[in-house]
Amino acid sequence: FLYLIAEFCCGFFVILILGNFWFLAVLYLLWLYLDWETPCAGGRRSQWVRSWTVWKYFREYFPIHLIKTSDLNPNHNYLLGFHPHGVLVAGAFGNFCTGPSFKNLFPGLTPYLHIMPIWFGCPFFREYIMSAGMVSASKESVSYVLNNKGGGHASVIVIGGAEESLNAHPGSLTLNILKRKGFIKMALKHGAHLVPVFSFGENELFKQVANPKGSWLRNVQEKLQKIMGFALPLFHARGVFQYSFGLIPYRQPIHTVVGSPIPVKQNLNPTTEEIDQLHALYLQKLRQLFEEHKRNYGIPEHKSLIFE
């Protein structure tokens, strides 16, 4: 749905340029220049946009649920690691950018969903995603959120990134995380408590064309991802009036489980050893969260997370 909105916004901007309203496009470009840093400075959220009725239907379609396992003290800042990426990242958007669920379960905390900076270069679309509570995934943006002296901020980062979307097959439990330690360093530098989050059902929304590692398709996808900065999974699901083929996601329940916080003491200059130690603890807590809840959401007993 977000992709469709982005395409519409870009198309509208092109119409302004080619039509008789080119001066509006020029004014917007000026605004874009003056407002360029806002996605890295907390964004510009709108409770009105976050409360649109369409998002209520969006959450109920799957449906999407947010599950709390522990209190999060609003006097601290938190870095929530969201897993897995999936194709749509529906659980992250539905729970952290729309509706009252997060606010009701974790009063006093404000969530910021960090996404790829490239999206904030899309005319008009950037205004919408900022109003929904999304900000850039750049280091500067994460630092801005976690540097809140009074606490009460929660950075939500999809750790596996675009690369992980290529593993988003139904039943897949493979997470791209072993080499991803930047979020650990950011948590240490700001003293932000780490919270693992696992979204059960995220990979069940679409079927993806087989792309095992080493295949020609996977090689092309990985090369394109390195060039463009985002992945291009070839996926399909259901249609509007039939269930055999289309791009509408399947109606599969999503349960986003927020784990217990891992206390982090601020360390402005963490060593590689300290980063690796906290990263190992995070992986341990993430696996523990998955194992404790997998039976509740249809994961077979013999299935476990695969870290790569």
Side-chain angles (χ1 to χ4, degrees), residues 1-3 5-6 9 39 42-46 49-50 52 55 93 96-97 111-136:
F1 188 68
L2 288 177
Y3 287 101
I5 296 177
C9 290
R44 189 170 44 246
R45 69 179 55 224
S46 164
V49 173
R50 290 167 61 87
W52 280 353
W55 302 132
F93 177 75
F96 302 119
C97 295
Y112 295 82
L113 179 60
H114 296 269
I115 64 175
M116 290 185 298
I118 190 174
W119 290 114
F120 295 98
C122 180
F124 301 114
F125 181 66
R126 69 188 297 273
E127 318 303 335
Y128 163 68
I129 56 180
M130 278 197 289
S131 66
M134 289 180 252
V135 292
S136 172

Side-chain angles (χ1 to χ4, degrees), residues 58 103 138 162 174 262:
F58 172 80
K103 182 179 179 180
S138 67
T174 300
I262 302 170

Side-chain angles (χ1 to χ4, degrees), residues 126-167:
R126 69 188 297 273
E127 318 303 335
Y128 163 68
I129 56 180
M130 278 197 289
S131 66
M134 289 180 252
V135 292
S136 172
S138 67
K139 292 180 181 179
E140 296 79 9
S141 178
V142 177
S143 291
Y144 184 93
V145 173
L146 297 181
N147 202 35
N148 190 42
K149 299 302 181 183
H153 281 189
S155 279
V156 183
I157 301 178
V158 185
I159 305 299
E163 183 182 356
E164 193 173 86
S165 67
L166 300 179
N167 290 328

Side-chain angles (χ1 to χ4, degrees), residues 41-301:
R44 189 170 44 246
R45 69 179 55 224
S46 164
Q47 191 55 43
W48 175 67
V49 173
R50 290 167 61 87
S51 302
W52 280 353
T53 302
V54 66
W55 302 132
K56 175 178 179 289
Y57 294 130
F58 172 80
R59 295 189 304 273
E60 292 178 349
Y61 171 80
F62 298 98
I64 296 174
H65 304 280
L66 186 66
I67 293 88
K68 171 183 175 180
T69 64
S70 176
D71 289 332
L72 298 181
N73 188 335
N75 293 325
H76 298 296
N77 293 316
Y78 297 88
L79 195 159
L80 278 61
F82 184 92
H83 313 269
H85 185 287
V87 171
L88 192 61
V89 205
F93 177 75
N95 286 312
F96 302 119
C97 295
T98 74
S101 294
F102 187 87
K103 182 179 179 180
N104 292 341
L105 292 177
F106 304 102
L109 282 183
T110 301
Y112 295 82
L113 179 60
H114 296 269
I115 64 175
M116 290 185 298
I118 190 174
W119 290 114
F120 295 98
C122 180
F124 301 114
F125 181 66
R126 69 188 297 273
E127 318 303 335
Y128 163 68
I129 56 180
M130 278 197 289
S131 66
M134 289 180 252
V135 292
S136 172
S138 67
K139 292 180 181 179
E140 296 79 9
S141 178
V142 177
S143 291
Y144 184 93
V145 173
L146 297 181
N147 202 35
N148 190 42
K149 299 302 181 183
H153 281 189
S155 279
V156 183
I157 301 178
V158 185
I159 305 299
E163 183 182 356
E164 193 173 86
S165 67
L166 300 179
N167 290 328
H169 297 272
S172 173
L173 295 172
T174 300
L175 303 181
N176 292 68
I177 192 172
L178 290 181
K179 296 181 180 180
R180 295 179 180 265
K181 301 179 182 180
F183 73 104
I184 299 290
K185 186 175 182 179
M186 293 300 292
L188 280 166
K189 292 184 74 171
H190 294 280
H193 295 351
L194 283 166
V195 182
V197 178
F198 195 87
S199 195
F200 292 89
E202 201 75 45
N203 285 340
E204 320 306 316
L205 305 185
F206 296 93
K207 292 180 180 177
Q208 193 172 163
V209 175
N211 60 341
K213 286 199 171 182
S215 65
W216 69 269
L217 176 57
R218 185 60 167 256
N219 290 336
V220 170
Q221 289 175 320
E222 290 176 347
K223 288 179 180 178
L224 289 175
Q225 189 241 320
K226 290 178 180 178
I227 295 172
M228 299 185 298
F230 57 91
L232 291 173
L234 297 180
F235 59 89
H236 64 89
R238 53 162 291 187
V240 178
F241 302 110
Q242 44 77 30
Y243 290 83
S244 23
F245 190 82
L247 296 179
I248 297 176
Y250 293 115
R251 297 192 70 176
Q252 296 289 339
I254 297 172
H255 295 87
T256 303
V257 184
V258 180
S260 300
I262 302 170
V264 177
K265 185 177 180 180
Q266 188 174 25
N267 183 347
L268 295 178
N269 295 293
T271 64
T272 301
E273 183 180 356
E274 289 169 330
I275 293 173
D276 289 344
Q277 185 178 7
L278 183 55
H279 185 261
L281 177 59
Y282 179 86
L283 294 183
Q284 176 188 333
K285 294 297 184 180
L286 174 59
R287 188 181 295 279
Q288 181 181 333
L289 177 70
F290 174 81
E291 292 295 331
E292 288 177 353
H293 294 274
K294 68 180 183 181
R295 300 170 192 82
N296 299 331
Y297 307 116
I299 305 295
E301 185 66 32

